Amino acid sequence: MAYQTIYPYTNEVLQSYENLSDAGVEKALERAYGQYQAWQKYNDVEVRKQILRQVAALLRRDLDRYAETMTKDMGKLFVEAQGEVALCAAIAEYYADKADEFLAREPVETPAGKAYILKQARGVIMAVEPWNFPFYQVMRVFAPNFIIGNPLLLKHASNCPGSALAFEALVREAGAPEGAFQNLFASYGQVSRIIEDPRVAGACLTGSERGGSSVAEHAGKALKPSSLELGGNDAFIVLDDADMDEVKSQLFAARLYNAGQVCVSSKRFIVTEKNYHRFLQDLTEVFASAQWGDPMDPATSLAPLSSATAKRDVLAAIDQAVQAGARVVYGNQPIESPGYFVMPTILTDVTKDNPLYNKEVFGPVGVVYKVRDEEEAIALANDSSYGLGNTVFSSDMDHAGRVAARIETGMSFINHGWTSLPELPFGGVKNSGYGHELSRSGFDTFVNQHLVFIPQAVWERHGK
């Protein structure tokens, strides 16, 4: 596996890195497990809280530098990368602020005696993270595990090594001990062996179904917990009573943010007959407004895709869909550039036998469906192997809430494409994975909930 930064805007190789040796893996495991043992003996949460707050301060101080690193690694707009750095700072502060609450002893009511649950570390966690949000995806697992006392080993995507190294340097500059967070330029074979190593307590992954299956297999074989976020084919439902101006205002961010390379972005637009033609016109106008170009230029609104492979895969998915009967309403034209640009594309007439029907396209492609009524909309939204996010547009919030409750998904957004905040749990169902990140749910993913029980008779003799 070659770890290289190839700038997606110019196709220029900016940096290459050597793969980690097996001896390097062993040293990393020794450091991480040693740090876990040290925290077990001297679990100074106050120190870790201050380090996380320093991480947030450094992110804000050097926001532009970190943002440019991400842009050069995987091509995202510089302004979007700036927003990602700011969100990472907010996540770090969130877990520092919530540490005492989340780690507090939890009483258990029982007539049989006295009981409580201690929130304790499990051990070293192996994280396999993707390229589409090179800092944010890492921060989602680093911050809560750091507060808990779980050292983290990172295998980042091979096309964003600069971001991986920058995050590691950031954590060290903030004052974290050497074994608390380590980046590994590891192979997938090495990752599998790391997960099965007895010094490792669990594994998490954000990525493909194939990658998730592999991580779950090795974690399960070793009887270790895992958490998987595997993408989605999210529905964007427009009901009869939707405010169409409000709908239009959300379309660009819902599908074209990060050039469409967002697991929870809207990919299937399901619109009732009443609003279908207006919606198709609005979506076409929004997609046509996208300006491709230099991602460092604030005038650019459409970034290149992350790699030549990503561009090839998206174009192949469009081509397969068209060959199977899909109609191109807009787009699917080449963009002449050395960069990995794909023209925003709108498809309709995607039937159930079309290969695109149950496929996540990781790029600026929207599929629009016309349905008779909301019952058909709900059925179509649920006819997917994925269940990550979902959007419902309605002028009646109770109505929207009732529809959202019937969608088989991990998250629903009302009159909004999607969002991510430190306090909102993030996770899906079906082939979108299991487990959660962010919020208290993300904190509890790799916590040992240690029960302590004192029988009533013992308490009466010794407890007072």
Side-chain angles (χ1 to χ4, degrees):
M1 177 177 294
Y3 284 85
Q4 290 185 316
T5 292
I6 303 175
Y7 190 24
Y9 177 55
T10 63
N11 194 29
E12 178 187 2
V13 178
L14 301 183
Q15 189 62 266
S16 299
Y17 300 88
E18 294 293 329
N19 286 7
L20 187 64
S21 67
D22 288 343
V25 169
E26 176 58 28
K27 288 181 181 179
L29 282 166
E30 289 176 359
R31 284 193 293 265
Y33 190 67
Q35 185 57 52
Y36 167 66
Q37 291 179 310
W39 277 336
Q40 288 293 92
K41 292 177 181 178
Y42 185 65
N43 188 23
D44 195 339
V45 177
E46 288 300 320
V47 171
R48 294 204 295 276
K49 285 161 58 177
Q50 291 305 315
I51 291 171
L52 267 192
R53 291 195 175 98
Q54 182 64 10
V55 165
L58 293 173
L59 284 167
R60 293 190 175 107
R61 185 194 73 186
D62 298 328
L63 184 145
D64 286 354
R65 176 165 64 85
Y66 292 126
E68 184 173 356
T69 297
M70 286 191 281
T71 295
K72 294 296 174 61
D73 265 350
M74 53 72 61
K76 68 170 53 200
L77 300 181
F78 180 64
V79 65
E80 292 178 351
Q82 290 174 311
E84 181 173 341
V85 176
L87 177 57
C88 287
I91 293 170
E93 284 186 335
Y94 172 80
Y95 283 107
D97 292 343
K98 290 289 186 178
D100 293 339
E101 176 185 341
F102 290 172
L103 286 167
R105 177 186 296 185
E106 181 180 317
V108 178
E109 292 186 12
T110 172
K114 302 294 181 182
Y116 55 89
I117 293 173
L118 300 175
K119 302 297 182 70
Q120 296 177 326
R122 280 182 176 268
V124 179
I125 304 300
M126 181 70 221
V128 181
E129 299 302 326
W131 45 260
N132 58 331
F133 291 94
F135 266 48
Y136 161 73
Q137 295 285 172
V138 178
M139 184 62 77
R140 293 198 326 188
V141 292
F142 165 69
N145 281 293
F146 182 73
I147 279 294
I148 294 162
N150 293 330
L152 195 76
L153 299 173
L154 171 68
K155 185 261 179 268
H156 217 323
S158 61
N159 63 328
C160 54
S163 297
L165 290 173
F167 197 99
E168 183 179 47
L170 161 70
V171 173
R172 292 287 291 130
E173 184 179 355
E178 186 180 18
F181 176 88
Q182 297 174 81
N183 169 64
L184 311 179
F185 287 146
S187 69
Y188 285 114
Q190 288 172 325
V191 169
S192 298
R193 293 192 293 274
I194 291 169
I195 292 172
E196 294 184 18
D197 190 284
R199 291 165 290 186
V200 172
C204 56
L205 172 142
T206 294
S208 68
E209 291 176 73
R210 179 181 176 184
S213 178
S214 177
V215 165
E217 176 186 358
H218 291 284
K221 179 181 176 182
L223 299 178
K224 296 173 184 179
S226 58
S227 176
L228 307 177
E229 195 272 277
L230 306 179
N233 196 11
D234 294 16
F236 183 110
I237 300 171
V238 181
L239 300 174
D240 279 351
D241 60 352
D243 180 332
M244 294 307 292
D245 290 334
E246 189 173 28
V247 170
K248 186 176 182 180
S249 72
Q250 295 294 314
L251 292 178
F252 196 100
R255 190 64 192 107
L256 299 184
Y257 184 90
N258 205 22
Q261 301 169 118
V262 183
C263 55
V264 75
S265 67
S266 303
K267 302 175 180 78
R268 295 182 296 151
F269 297 92
I270 300 172
V271 188
T272 56
E273 288 179 330
K274 174 186 175 184
N275 294 313
Y276 179 77
H277 293 294
R278 161 75 190 273
F279 178 87
L280 206 57
Q281 178 182 343
D282 287 347
L283 187 63
T284 300
E285 289 181 7
V286 168
F287 274 33
S289 71
Q291 298 293 316
W292 68 272
D294 183 350
M296 295 296 295
D297 185 343
T300 301
S301 58
L302 181 70
L305 297 191
S306 63
S307 66
T309 299
K311 176 178 179 178
R312 182 171 61 249
D313 289 348
V314 171
L315 293 178
I318 296 171
D319 185 57
Q320 290 171 3
V322 171
Q323 290 183 23
R327 182 172 73 93
V328 178
V329 174
Y330 177 80
N332 198 28
Q333 297 295 321
I335 293 177
E336 298 301 328
S337 167
Y340 310 134
F341 291 96
V342 169
M343 185 177 184
T345 298
I346 301 170
L347 300 174
T348 61
D349 301 339
V350 173
T351 56
K352 192 164 184 174
D353 60 350
N354 194 302
L356 195 62
Y357 185 82
N358 191 41
K359 181 182 180 68
E360 178 185 32
V361 179
F362 224 52
V365 179
V367 181
V368 185
Y369 297 88
K370 179 169 65 175
V371 294
R372 291 186 304 272
D373 52 31
E374 83 178 39
E375 289 300 319
E376 188 175 349
I378 292 168
L380 179 55
N382 286 335
D383 191 18
S384 172
S385 63
Y386 296 99
L388 187 59
N390 167 66
T391 290
V392 179
F393 268 86
S394 168
S395 294
D396 183 334
M397 294 301 95
D398 290 338
H399 181 200
R402 290 193 299 271
V403 171
R406 296 177 60 189
I407 307 302
E408 298 165 351
T409 187
M411 300 172 283
S412 284
F413 305 97
I414 305 301
N415 290 7
H416 195 281
W418 58 273
T419 194
S420 182
L421 296 169
E423 64 271 18
L424 301 181
F426 193 106
V429 297
K430 299 183 179 180
N431 287 12
S432 290
Y434 53 80
H436 287 86
E437 294 175 354
L438 300 178
S439 78
R440 184 166 199 150
S441 297
F443 177 88
D444 287 340
T445 298
F446 293 108
V447 163
N448 174 22
Q449 302 200 40
H450 180 166
L451 171 68
V452 177
F453 173 68
I454 307 169
Q456 186 63 31
V458 174
W459 178 258
E460 290 174 353
R461 287 197 303 270
H462 304 288
K464 296 181 181 179

